[in-house]
Amino acid sequence: MSSYWSQRAQKAQPYVPGEQPRERTFIKLNTNENPYPPSPRVLEAMEGVAANLRLYPDPVSLELREAAARRYGLESSQVFPGNGSDEVLGFAFGAFFDPQKEAVLFPDITYSFYPVYCQLWDIPYKTIALEEDFTIQPGPYLERSGGIVISNPNAPTGILLPLDELKQIAQAALESQRVFIVDEAYMAFSQSPSALSLIRDFPNVLVVKTLSKEYSLAGLRSGLALGSRELIEGLERIKDSFNSYPMDRLAQALSIAALEDIPYYEGITQKIIATRERCAARLKTLGFSVLPSGANFLFASPPQGCPLRGGDFYAALRERGILVRHFEKNRINDFLRITIGTDDEMDEFLRAAEEVARSK
Ligand SMILES: *Cc1c(COP(=O)(O)O)cnc(C)c1O
C-alpha cells in the first residue's frame, strides 16, 4: 500500500491473467488463444496503416462500426468498439450498474474479471451458485436485481445456456429496467444461436464479443459491444470520460479486415471444434470427466484413481512442457482448463495427459 494511492486504488483487487511465459517454449494451452494465424487479409491490411500512424485515429471508429454492423446484421449505431472486450466490459459495468441499486447478479464460477469491475466501480454484486452439474438455471436471475452478467458459453466451464433461457432472463430484466450483459467471447465455437437476435426486442440486452479468440487477434486488443442505441450511448459517455481515442489505427483497420473474412474464420472455427470433440472423446476414454464444451477449451478433471489431482496434475503437465490453466477455487480445483490447440499440439497434450494419469 502507498499513501499516494486513492481509496479506489487501495481497495482494487486487480484481475490476474493467465501466465504468458517468457523463459521456455511451452505448448501453450492456458489462455484460450486461437492456434491458427489471423486471416491473410489482416496481414495485408497492416501494410496500408503504417504510413498513417502520424495521424490520430477516428475517435468513433466509424468504419469498424460499419464493418461490425454488416457482419452481425445491425446498424452502426448499435456497435461500440473497444480495446479488447475487457475494456468494453469495464466501461459497461460503469455505464449500467450503480452503487446505490440492488446487487448485480452473476454465477459464482465465471469469468473472474466481473467481481473486479464491481469492486472498482463500487457496485454491489451477488454470485449465484452453478448447479451441481455446473449448468446455469435461469430461476435466480429472474429475481429483482441491479443487473445481470452471464458469459455464454460460460467460462471456465464451457457450458452453453440455451437462447430461450437467456430470453426469460432478458424479459425479467426488462420488466425491472435492468441491463443484461451477455458475454459471448466463445459463442462462435458453440454453433448455437447468439443472443444478438434479442437486441431488437430487448433494449436492455448488451452482447459483448471479442476478436481475441474467434478472430485470432488476442495480441491486437479488439472487442465489441452490440445493443440498442441507448446502451451504446451509455458506453460512449464512459469511454469519452477516459480516452476519446480508445482504438488505434492498426486495431481499427485490422479488426475490419478480420470481420470481413467470414469464410476464413468459419474454416478455422470448424477445425477447432473438430479437434475439441476428438480430444474430449479421447480424454473420456482415458477416464477424465469432461464437461460439455461450446468453447475453444475443455474443462476436465483427472480420472478417479489418479493420485495427481488438480494443481498437481497441472504441475506435472507443466514439467512436460504443456501449459494449461488451473484455478485454485472451491468446486473447480480438481479441474484443468485446456485451450484447444492445433491437432499436433493436442496430440502431445493427450500423450502427456495419459502419461501423467498413469503415473503412480
Ligand atoms: C477472453 C475473455 C474476455 C476478454 O477478451 P479480450 O477481448 O481479449 O479482452 C472476456 N470475457 C470472457 C468470458 C473471456 O474468456
Side-chain angles (χ1 to χ4, degrees):
M1 289 292 160
S2 160
S3 53
Y4 297 126
W5 293 355
S6 67
Q7 289 286 324
R8 177 169 281 113
Q10 290 187 30
K11 283 197 318 189
Q13 294 173 1
Y15 175 75
V16 182
E19 185 184 359
Q20 298 294 342
R22 288 194 190 87
E23 82 281 20
R24 67 179 270 195
T25 43
F26 284 99
I27 291 186
K28 192 174 175 303
L29 309 176
N30 69 329
T31 50
N32 298 344
E33 289 135 334
N34 197 306
Y36 301 108
S39 155
R41 291 172 61 168
V42 170
L43 305 180
E44 281 164 30
M46 242 167 107
E47 290 169 17
V49 183
N52 288 325
L53 287 179
R54 70 184 185 84
L55 300 172
Y56 277 110
D58 173 7
V60 298
S61 308
L62 184 61
E63 286 178 39
L64 171 54
R65 285 173 190 238
E66 288 169 348
R70 282 194 299 278
R71 172 71 182 80
Y72 295 112
L74 301 166
E75 302 289 324
S76 59
S77 60
Q78 296 173 300
V79 179
F80 175 88
N83 288 301
S85 58
D86 285 342
E87 183 184 86
V88 173
L89 286 162
F91 289 162
F93 277 64
F96 307 124
F97 303 143
D98 261 316
Q100 301 85 6
K101 281 188 188 154
E102 303 90 335
V104 169
L105 308 179
F106 44 84
D108 60 341
I109 295 167
T110 190
Y111 189 38
S112 49
F113 225 135
Y114 305 152
V116 174
Y117 299 128
C118 286
Q119 182 83 37
L120 180 70
W121 292 107
D122 258 328
I123 298 162
Y125 67 94
K126 184 174 134 195
T127 58
I128 311 279
L130 294 182
E131 300 295 301
E132 209 49 48
D133 61 358
F134 296 106
T135 57
I136 292 170
Q137 290 304 317
Y141 298 93
L142 307 179
E143 304 290 320
R144 198 179 164 82
S145 70
I148 298 139
V149 188
I150 288 182
S151 167
N152 197 38
N154 196 14
T157 63
I159 297 176
L160 183 86
L161 187 64
L163 186 58
D164 338 334
E165 300 184 8
L166 289 171
K167 192 170 171 180
Q168 282 177 41
I169 298 171
Q171 181 63 43
L174 182 68
E175 283 161 19
S176 54
Q177 299 204 336
R178 292 293 185 263
V179 171
F180 177 21
I181 298 177
V182 187
D183 182 352
E184 293 194 347
Y186 301 104
M187 193 39 121
F189 304 101
S190 76
Q191 301 184 293
S192 302
S194 154
L196 279 177
S197 63
L198 301 179
I199 283 177
R200 212 179 44 153
D201 295 333
F202 295 95
N204 62 325
V205 170
L206 188 77
V207 177
V208 176
K209 294 199 175 271
T210 171
L211 276 75
S212 296
K213 283 90 181 218
E214 171 187 5
Y215 293 97
S216 201
L217 288 172
L220 188 67
R221 310 309 302 135
S222 180
L224 300 167
L226 308 161
S228 63
R229 188 189 276 255
E230 56 186 306
L231 294 190
I232 300 307
E233 281 177 15
L235 288 167
E236 284 165 352
R237 295 176 73 88
I238 300 292
K239 179 210 88 168
D240 290 333
S241 307
F242 268 88
N243 180 356
S244 50
Y245 297 110
M247 292 197 76
D248 61 61
R249 283 181 174 271
L250 212 54
Q252 293 187 37
L254 274 50
S255 299
I256 292 169
L259 288 165
E260 287 178 343
D261 198 349
I262 297 173
Y264 175 81
Y265 287 105
E266 274 178 359
I268 63 172
T269 298
Q270 287 306 325
K271 275 211 290 211
I272 290 167
I273 292 170
T275 308
R276 178 188 75 205
E277 293 309 302
R278 178 173 76 80
C279 292
R282 179 69 189 140
L283 285 172
K284 285 181 198 163
T285 307
L286 294 173
F288 283 77
S289 118
V290 186
L291 299 189
S293 173
N296 69 339
F297 56 82
L298 290 169
F299 204 51
S301 61
Q304 279 306 319
C306 177
L308 292 181
R309 314 287 338 158
D312 292 331
F313 204 103
Y314 159 87
L317 286 174
R318 198 173 196 285
E319 276 167 28
R320 288 166 175 75
I322 293 172
L323 198 56
V324 298
R325 189 95 188 256
H326 174 254
F327 299 93
E328 199 59 67
K329 185 176 161 100
N330 206 9
R331 284 182 77 194
I332 57 169
N333 51 17
D334 197 26
F335 280 81
L336 304 174
R337 194 194 66 191
I338 306 138
T339 303
I340 303 302
T342 61
D343 279 304
D344 287 349
E345 289 172 327
M346 296 319 281
D347 287 341
E348 291 223 26
F349 158 74
L350 288 166
R351 253 196 305 277
E354 182 172 3
E355 194 179 295
V356 175
R358 296 222 164 118
S359 62
K360 288 282 175 272

